[in-house]
Amino acid sequence: EAGVTQFPSHSVIEKGQTVTLRCDPISGHDNLYWYRRVMGKEIKFLLHFVKESKQDESGMPNNRFLAERTGGTYSTLKVQPAELEDSGVYFCASSQGSWREYQETQYFGPGTRLLVL
Amino acid sequence: RKEVEQDPGPFNVPEGATVAFNCTYSNSASQSFFWYRQDCRKEPKLLMSVYSSGNEDGRFTAQLNRASQYISLLIRDSKLSDSATYLCVVRRNRDDKIIFGKGTRLHILP
């Protein structure tokens, strides 16, 4: 079974440009999550989709970030315009079953390393 | 204060030794607890969930102390392949997101 995949693996852009990250969850997983790790800090939650609906977007830093999951399959995370502080590793994760289960297991993708210059 | 705090690393431990990691969480309403492992430049992978009664998986033992808001991970007979960063992860309640600790780096020395 294929795991969570993310594209691109790396992205280097200039401040002010736009970048779109893509995540393909494990097939059949309704829950999709985006996380970010800024250098030297802990991994932080950005948002959670259940199918195509945003369940929780409380972790999104500001309105320069836009996440979509049309059709409830893959998801994109767009940063526009990118700022220096957006640099970091963006992880996507997916899980099966009810997100209300206490011990839900999330499977992470390899991450996209974003560097904004 | 961080919601999830872990021992600062790195831990440098000889192969075969036993090593223990601690993690404290600040929200007493937290319900779910996990240890994830992250290899260098890789994604986090679930190592084990932590249950109230404590649980063991081979060389790994996880304990939960709700009264002290404390989680531990014990690795026995450590292997070179155990070198990684260990992330303590907590979920506050069933409607909430998971919170990561900063991680503790472990180096197993030959």
Side-chain angles (χ1 to χ4, degrees):
Chain A
E1 181 185 295
V4 177
T5 57
Q6 293 186 244
F7 182 82
S9 58
H10 297 78
S11 181
V12 181
I13 60 172
E14 293 187 351
K15 176 182 169 180
Q17 289 186 320
T18 296
V19 62
T20 300
L21 314 181
R22 173 172 169 143
C23 169
D24 285 79
I26 292 172
S27 178
H29 282 193
D30 288 340
N31 299 295
L32 187 149
Y33 304 82
W34 283 99
Y35 295 89
R36 177 174 75 173
R37 184 168 200 162
V38 171
M39 190 185 297
K41 304 277 189 179
E42 66 275 17
I43 296 171
K44 284 197 171 172
F45 168 86
L46 296 179
L47 90 160
H48 169 206
F49 285 99
V50 178
K51 297 185 181 178
E52 67 275 8
S53 300
K54 289 177 186 173
Q55 181 65 37
D56 180 355
E57 53 183 330
S58 61
M60 294 288 262
N62 50 60
N63 60 10
R64 294 185 294 102
F65 289 73
L66 175 65
E68 294 179 323
R69 193 183 182 196
T70 307
T73 54
Y74 71 91
S75 174
T76 58
L77 179 64
K78 182 160 73 173
V79 185
Q80 179 183 31
E83 298 289 343
L84 300 179
E85 64 265 24
D86 300 333
S87 296
V89 183
Y90 290 77
F91 290 105
C92 175
S94 72
S95 70
Q96 189 175 38
S98 171
W99 57 273
R100 291 178 179 273
E101 293 174 9
Y102 283 130
Q103 300 299 131
E104 163 211 23
T105 299
Q106 296 187 18
Y107 298 89
F108 281 75
T112 293
R113 281 156 184 77
L114 174 65
L115 179 60
V116 182
L117 301 175
Chain B
R1 182 188 172 189
K2 292 283 186 188
E3 190 155 351
V4 178
E5 300 220 50
Q6 296 187 238
D7 283 349
F11 283 31
N12 297 308
V13 174
E15 191 176 8
T18 295
V19 60
F21 301 136
N22 301 319
C23 169
T24 56
Y25 58 95
S26 61
N27 191 319
S28 59
S30 298
Q31 297 289 342
S32 307
F33 310 91
F34 310 87
W35 284 101
Y36 274 74
R37 170 197 169 124
Q38 186 174 24
D39 292 292
C40 188
R41 301 185 70 78
K42 298 284 188 180
E43 70 273 21
K45 288 185 179 175
L46 179 68
L47 178 64
M48 56 198 304
S49 301
V50 186
Y51 300 108
S52 296
S53 54
N55 47 301
E56 188 174 309
D57 182 3
R59 296 182 294 108
F60 299 84
T61 301
Q63 296 278 353
L64 168 63
N65 184 322
R66 286 190 186 273
S68 303
Q69 294 179 206
Y70 166 102
I71 307 153
S72 65
L73 176 69
L74 185 78
I75 306 175
R76 289 181 301 279
D77 187 24
S78 53
K79 312 288 184 196
L80 294 176
S81 56
D82 294 334
S83 297
T85 296
Y86 290 82
L87 304 168
C88 176
V89 178
V90 173
R91 186 174 204 169
R92 292 184 283 194
N93 57 56
R94 61 173 59 196
D95 293 323
D96 216 338
K97 55 187 175 285
I98 63 174
I99 309 293
F100 282 82
K102 227 172 146 178
T104 301
R105 286 175 62 192
L106 173 65
H107 298 301
I108 303 299
L109 307 172

